[in-house]
Amino acid sequence: MHDLVRLVGIARSAAESDLLAKKRRVEYRTLPTRKWLNRCHSKRVPFDWSINPYRGCEYGCKYCYARFTHEFMERPDPALFEREIYAKDWDESGFRQELNSVRAGQIIGIGTATDPYQPAEKKFRRTRRLLEALRPLTGTSLFVTTKSDLVSRDVDVLSALGESNEIRVTLTVTTMDRDLARLIEPFAPRPDLRMQAVAELARAGVAVGVIANPVLPLITDSEENLECVARAAKAAGADQFGASVVFLQPTAQRVFFPFLAEKFPQHLQRYRRTFSESPYLRGSYPERIRTMVGEIRLRAGIPARDMERAHLPLPPGSQMQLF
Ligand code: SF4
């Protein structure tokens, strides 16, 4: 039980949230939300605003960097991130008021922390509603990132938004190998289903790209693996491809290292050594991956993502690496 008197802010909202639905593995709850639009000031983030309709993500990717966001709700067990999913309370008129702060030329990222098309979306349709509410915007850039083929359900509203804004959807596909994907992203849609969604969006004229993020050293970083994703993306109609290396914050390490111990024990010590001082990799390894991805793009005939061309700086504390 939570001590409600002690809890404040979002932790208190989470503790007071109502149960919406329950499955064998996952509980869905409401989350009272004052603001849907978050202003991004960091130079590392290529957005002016971000929107995440859900807290937590049922897909349970072993490397997920967003697990720490549950800590703000005093849910320190990183496994709860994929078992307690919070759908933010939707208030359309309040959201429309928030949109008054958005200016033409600004960039809004949707799904910057958690997946906006995770299974909860089928039931609660928060992402669909917010996309519909964005219709009055003109001259903005809207970027949606997901691992879910459910995004193709919203092809109508995405196309409509594209009439007066720039709209781009990015599907994340780390590997085309179904078995490997099932291991590292156990509850996410199969890679071929994600590529089908790419094809559907492309056919409808929605700009769509693919990223193979995060590249996992010794697991998904072979040229063969990344080229396979790039070629499948190109064949599906994606017009951009990118891939950058994993970073592992301590909360993510608490899930990823036990996963390695179980499934890839031969790599555990190397990962531990490499990420003991910093969650970020810098130096020859990411440089080598960047070069390899550039060559793959050339061979597959698919350009880089706009964001990669912008060369976002690495955060402080980045380290030399062992891989
Ligand atoms: S889909 Fe994204 S947010 Fe969801 S678990 Fe995977 S990495 Fe995390």
Side-chain angles (χ1 to χ4, degrees), residues 33-253:
T33 302
R34 274 187 309 114
K35 275 172 47 179
W36 271 64
L37 268 174
N38 303 302
R39 193 76 167 98
C40 304
H41 295 290
S42 165
K43 286 202 176 88
R44 286 202 63 241
V45 181
F47 308 113
D48 299 294
W49 304 93
S50 69
I51 307 177
N52 289 287
Y54 300 98
R55 273 191 172 253
C57 182
E58 192 173 338
Y59 286 154
C61 305
K62 299 297 179 187
Y63 49 74
C64 179
Y65 67 90
R67 289 181 189 273
F68 75 93
T69 56
H70 256 43
E71 290 176 357
F72 301 138
M73 299 189 298
E74 304 234 351
R75 317 301 286 140
D77 176 354
L80 289 178
F81 176 81
E82 56 192 85
R83 289 170 185 263
E84 275 185 7
I85 309 300
Y86 293 82
K88 294 184 181 172
D89 276 349
W90 177 244
D91 164 16
E92 182 151 342
S93 66
F95 182 67
R96 286 188 190 277
Q97 290 222 325
E98 286 185 59
L99 285 184
N100 290 334
S101 307
V102 178
R103 299 280 166 264
Q106 290 190 323
I107 304 174
I108 303 177
I110 299 165
T112 53
T114 58
D115 201 305
Y117 285 100
Q118 58 178 292
E121 173 61 15
K122 266 192 209 144
K123 242 182 192 333
F124 306 118
R125 297 172 76 88
R126 299 295 199 266
T127 302
R128 168 101 196 169
R129 286 188 190 156
L130 92 87
L131 289 176
E132 287 169 347
L134 291 174
R135 282 301 301 277
L137 290 182
T138 54
T140 65
S141 299
L142 306 168
F143 292 160
V144 180
T145 308
T146 182
K147 274 194 181 83
S148 177
D149 55 325
L150 182 60
V151 63
S152 59
R153 178 201 66 185
D154 288 348
V155 69
D156 55 341
V157 64
L158 291 165
S159 299
L161 280 167
E163 288 166 13
S164 42
N165 300 274
E166 178 192 9
I167 179 106
R168 169 163 291 282
V169 176
T170 300
L171 270 288
T172 306
V173 184
T174 52
T175 179
M176 294 305 292
D177 179 332
R178 283 187 192 186
D179 295 335
L180 181 56
R182 184 58 66 221
L183 276 184
I184 57 183
E185 299 153 356
F187 302 102
R190 295 194 321 255
D192 58 307
L193 294 177
R194 296 180 223 175
M195 286 300 178
Q196 278 176 27
V198 170
E200 233 169 289
L201 293 168
R203 269 198 303 274
V206 175
V208 56
V210 168
I211 47 173
N213 293 3
V215 175
L216 300 172
L218 310 169
I219 298 173
T220 63
D221 65 347
S222 71
E223 192 156 6
E224 187 193 357
N225 181 64
L226 295 175
E227 185 147 353
C228 190
V229 179
R231 288 192 181 278
K234 172 74 179 176
D239 63 355
Q240 293 183 353
F241 173 73
S244 44
V245 295
V246 70
F247 64 97
L248 288 171
Q249 303 277 10
T251 315
Q253 292 179 20

